[in-house]
Amino acid sequence: MRIAIDAMGGDFGPRVIVRGCFEALKRDPSLSLLLFGSRASLDEAFESLPRAMAPLRERISLRYVERSFPSAELPSHALRGRYLSDHDASSLHASIRAVERGEAMGCVSAGDTGALMAVARHCLGMLEGIVRPAISSAIPTIGERPCYVLDLGANVDCQPRHLLQFARMGAEMVRVVDGIERPRVALLNIGSESRKGSRLVRETDTLLRALDAPRFDYQGFVEGDGIYAGSIDVIVCDGFVGNVALKTSEGLAKMLGRKLQVTFEANWRTRLVSFLARPALSRFRREIDPVRYNGASLLGLCATVVKSHGGADALGFSYAISRAVTEVSGRLPGRLAEGLAK
């Protein structure tokens, strides 16, 4: 199992990404990584590591790439000739092309989402019949399993046929990743009644109800609070709505954590209660922490590509790598193609 890593993406640079790589290597002894980044940045990141991590170093290969794709540049510029050449390739381009050439089985990047999607489509291609790829990520619920939402930003302007494909891809992903034979699928809407919502969701609802889909159970509309209820496995929406829902969820989780901390530090009585409740509070924070669910799948591509949150810490980036490992192990792109053909 070899995964290509764009070590220059993200808000915190190679030092955090390299530490995340070592966290992933500790959890999975069968994993090896191929890192792309500048020589100076990677050397500095490796020098800052504790000596205890040295034995894991032999499972990491380095490819020095001095250019990184600027976050201020338009995603469409990622397909310009200078980036696509081997000489001027950025770390983002080089990591995806390693998958294209068979040097790695999947790719993880915390770089610009639009550029990552554009380059991945160009180099890796799309599954047959897929009109547009979609970004999907897990969101924690009150149930035992998460809810997957798609699209999360790749497609702002959608048509009903696009949402129909998102529903089918999301259901197949849950079948592969979580082993759920008949995932529950719903459309995100402002109400559960059939007359409510935009023309897009109402027309998509008509298509889904007319579809003979034994591979998933279509549940109709679900409102925003249904994302966390644990009663739906896949929630489908356009990229604008999905991205707002995701960022709102992340902000809510951070706010709850900070409010709890402030409340328990108010006086000596609350600090005593906090001390006694520490195991339960720690478990609560872990369950709602967005870091635990870091790693968004780019569905519809011919190979595995996972987008890490740009602001993820080392542990969060390691979860994105683990997500890629799960998809590669489960042959997700191939299984998606097979499922969609059925």
Side-chain angles (χ1 to χ4, degrees), residues 227-280:
I227 297 175
Y228 313 98
S231 59
I232 302 295
D233 300 305
V234 178
I235 292 182
V236 178
C237 55
D238 65 64
F240 181 89
V241 172
N243 192 270
V244 171
L246 177 67
K247 296 299 173 61
T248 301
S249 300
E250 293 174 350
L252 175 63
K254 292 177 182 177
M255 184 272 290
L256 287 175
R258 290 172 183 169
K259 285 285 187 181
L260 278 173
Q261 183 176 355
V262 170
T263 299
F264 282 117
E265 291 178 353
N267 53 59
W268 69 267
R269 292 185 181 88
T270 56
R271 285 195 290 270
L272 176 60
V273 173
S274 174
F275 176 78
L276 296 174
R278 184 173 297 173

Side-chain angles (χ1 to χ4, degrees), residues 193-213:
E193 298 87 351
S194 60
R195 69 180 185 277
K196 287 190 174 180
S198 65
R199 177 183 295 180
L200 171 64
V201 294
R202 285 187 280 111
E203 291 183 358
T204 306
D205 175 66
T206 301
L207 291 177
L208 283 167
R209 291 187 184 279
L211 182 68
D212 182 16

